[in-house]
Amino acid sequence: MKHILRTIREDLRNAREHDPAARGDVENAIVYSGLHAIWAHRVAHWLWLRNLKGPARILAQFTRFLTGIEIHPGATIGRRFFIDHGMGIVIGETAEIGEGVMLYHGVTLGGQVLTQTKRHPTIEDGVTIGAGAKVLGPITIGKDSAIGANAVVTKDVPAKHIAVGIPAKARPRKDAECIKLVDPDYYI
């Protein structure tokens, strides 16, 4: 039980760090659909790993109905994952998401083939993916990279790069593009 409460507190702190509009933990716990989707996914994933696939899928679909966020219970998601304005997010079964990742609304982590293989992306630690971006196939988005809004990414993105456009092209991130939201000097 302590582990669950510690994880919930970490998620709430993470929401405050990623969203300047976050006003308080109680309000965030009640109204943030991204948090609801993540919490429900943790339960669905636990069921999935214990071969309770039917109940896991039912929970995932119910969560999709409530939040507009579809996360397959087979997807692997790390700590401090944040979904901002989550409507329309789709995360496929074999997607792997590292720690400290942030997604905006309308993001798809999807597949390109219909075979039972690794067909969804791997998102490494510290990645931010902009609104409407599509990251497709068994590719890797490297640590501390960013995907621009509405980009369509079908090739690996190296660490500390930014990918923009259709099809997305990657270039190294400049230092000014790596400002954290919690940097007080940024707001002054």
Side-chain angles (χ1 to χ4, degrees), residues 13-20 178-187:
R13 184 175 52 253
N14 191 46
R16 286 191 316 273
E17 290 174 359
H18 280 88
D19 187 355
C178 297
I179 295 173
K180 290 187 129 195
L181 287 174
V182 293
D183 182 354
D185 294 334
Y186 182 70
Y187 297 107

Side-chain angles (χ1 to χ4, degrees), residues 25 47 50 52 57 59 62 75 84 97 101-102 109 112 115 122 124 133-134 141-142 145-146 148 171 173 175 181 187:
D25 288 347
L47 293 168
R50 282 149 187 82
L52 298 168
R57 291 298 300 267
L59 176 57
F62 182 68
D84 195 11
I97 300 173
V101 171
M102 181 172 177
L109 303 181
Q112 292 182 310
T115 58
T122 297
E124 293 184 347
K134 309 302 177 221
I141 307 303
S145 289
R171 65 163 172 77
R173 284 181 87 171
D175 288 341
L181 287 174
Y187 297 107

Side-chain angles (χ1 to χ4, degrees), residues 61-124:
Q61 288 304 301
F62 182 68
T63 303
R64 175 185 178 202
F65 171 77
L66 291 176
T67 65
I69 299 168
E70 180 176 340
I71 306 174
H72 191 286
T76 303
I77 298 176
R79 295 173 47 219
R80 295 181 314 282
F81 176 55
F82 184 67
I83 298 172
D84 195 11
H85 302 285
M87 184 60 73
I89 288 195
V90 177
I91 300 173
E93 177 182 9
T94 62
E96 299 173 60
I97 300 173
E99 296 188 0
V101 171
M102 181 172 177
L103 304 183
Y104 287 92
H105 62 279
V107 168
T108 298
L109 303 181
Q112 292 182 310
V113 297
L114 300 176
T115 58
Q116 291 291 326
T117 60
K118 168 72 170 144
R119 59 191 185 281
H120 300 98
T122 297
I123 311 298
E124 293 184 347

